[in-house]
Amino acid sequence: GAVVSQHPSWVICKSGTSVKIECRSLDFQATTMFWYRQFPKKSLMLMATSNEGSKATYEQGVEKDKFLINHASLTLSTLTVTSAHPEDSSFYICSAEDPGTSGSDEQFFGPGTRLTVL
Amino acid sequence: QKEVEQNSGPLSVPEGAIASLNCTYSDRGSQSFFWYRQYSGKSPELIMSIYSNGDKEDGRFTAQLNKASQYVSLLIRDSQPSDSATYLCAVISGGSYIPTFGRGTSLIVHP
């Protein structure tokens, strides 16, 4: 399957700082990437859909000014958590579709970024 | 609202048994169906996709789709302790490209 990477894999920051998470498709071009958040023992929650060259589409209840998404190229999408607070501590996961695979709507997930805000 | 329902479990099966995981969905227009496996602390990993009614087999895994009854299931034959994980069902409706995920079923395979 297609490979999606994320960086960093984990990050600890102080309250009030901003954190940038990168999501890269390594062996394919992804027009669309998705950002999810998962709290411990909870289900995946879609935060936003990231579209290359255009504004992201945010799910209801997700603050677009707090979670800035930039999809500047076909292989890179970034999520910036601005002015992070302890309640933003979570597991952030991106995914992307590889249009070149036989199942063109199969999503492949990155390994995730664990964010801890002190 | 599109819904994907899974029993949260845990489903406990002995090693070597068949584990049966079920998922129902509300949108009759759904076209694409997926099963993901998620180990604790890790991100989901795609196991299988299925698009038409019937069975699809891949190794020890078999996905079954019944659109008339709006359910999709995953069978794991010869279950191993390493299969212990949460299994997520995901569904994409016709006209959409965004999957809706179920809450996942926790599977425990005990020796």
Side-chain angles (χ1 to χ4, degrees):
Chain A
V3 179
V4 177
S5 71
Q6 277 185 247
H7 177 81
S9 55
W10 59 271
V11 58
I12 301 173
C13 68
K14 293 182 178 180
S15 184
T17 60
S18 295
V19 175
K20 179 185 284 188
I21 303 170
E22 293 184 348
C23 176
R24 293 182 185 273
S25 56
L26 296 186
D27 51 359
F28 66 99
Q29 294 183 330
T31 305
T32 302
M33 291 183 174
F34 302 90
W35 287 97
Y36 295 85
R37 180 169 53 182
Q38 188 175 37
F39 293 104
K41 300 190 183 302
K42 299 295 184 182
S43 60
L44 279 175
M45 290 177 53
L46 179 65
M47 299 176 66
T49 302
S50 171
N51 302 294
E52 188 268 336
S54 64
K55 293 183 179 180
T57 302
Y58 291 82
E59 294 299 299
Q60 189 174 7
V62 178
E63 301 175 57
K64 62 181 181 180
D65 294 330
K66 180 171 182 61
F67 299 99
L68 302 179
I69 292 174
N70 187 329
H71 194 153
S73 77
L74 288 172
T75 59
L76 174 65
S77 176
T78 60
L79 168 68
T80 301
V81 183
T82 62
S83 186
H85 288 91
E87 58 266 28
D88 297 323
S89 299
S90 189
F91 191 40
Y92 291 86
I93 315 172
C94 71
S95 72
E97 294 178 6
D98 178 6
T101 60
S102 58
S104 62
D105 53 4
E106 293 177 342
Q107 285 200 31
F108 297 92
F109 284 85
T113 297
R114 192 162 301 282
L115 170 64
T116 300
V117 184
L118 302 177
Chain B
Q1 184 176 357
K2 302 167 187 174
E3 295 182 347
V4 177
E5 299 288 342
Q6 293 182 257
N7 188 321
S8 62
L11 172 66
S12 182
V13 300
E15 184 175 358
I18 297 175
S20 178
L21 304 161
N22 299 312
C23 170
T24 60
Y25 57 94
S26 62
D27 187 351
R28 188 170 288 277
S30 298
Q31 299 291 328
S32 306
F33 308 85
F34 310 91
W35 282 100
Y36 289 84
R37 176 177 61 198
Q38 186 176 24
Y39 291 112
S40 180
K42 303 294 184 181
S43 66
E45 173 191 9
L46 179 66
I47 297 176
M48 293 190 69
S49 58
I50 186 167
Y51 301 93
S52 55
N53 280 326
D55 295 358
K56 179 181 178 182
E57 185 175 321
D58 183 1
R60 294 187 296 112
F61 300 97
T62 299
Q64 299 175 319
L65 175 60
N66 185 321
K67 290 186 178 181
S69 300
Q70 294 176 236
Y71 82 79
V72 56
S73 62
L74 179 70
L75 302 179
I76 306 175
R77 290 182 299 281
D78 188 23
S79 296
Q80 302 297 311
S82 58
D83 295 325
S84 299
T86 296
Y87 289 80
L88 302 172
C89 172
V91 176
I92 297 180
S93 298
S96 174
Y97 59 93
I98 301 175
T100 301
F101 281 85
R103 298 174 65 86
T105 297
S106 174
L107 172 67
I108 299 173
V109 181
H110 53 87

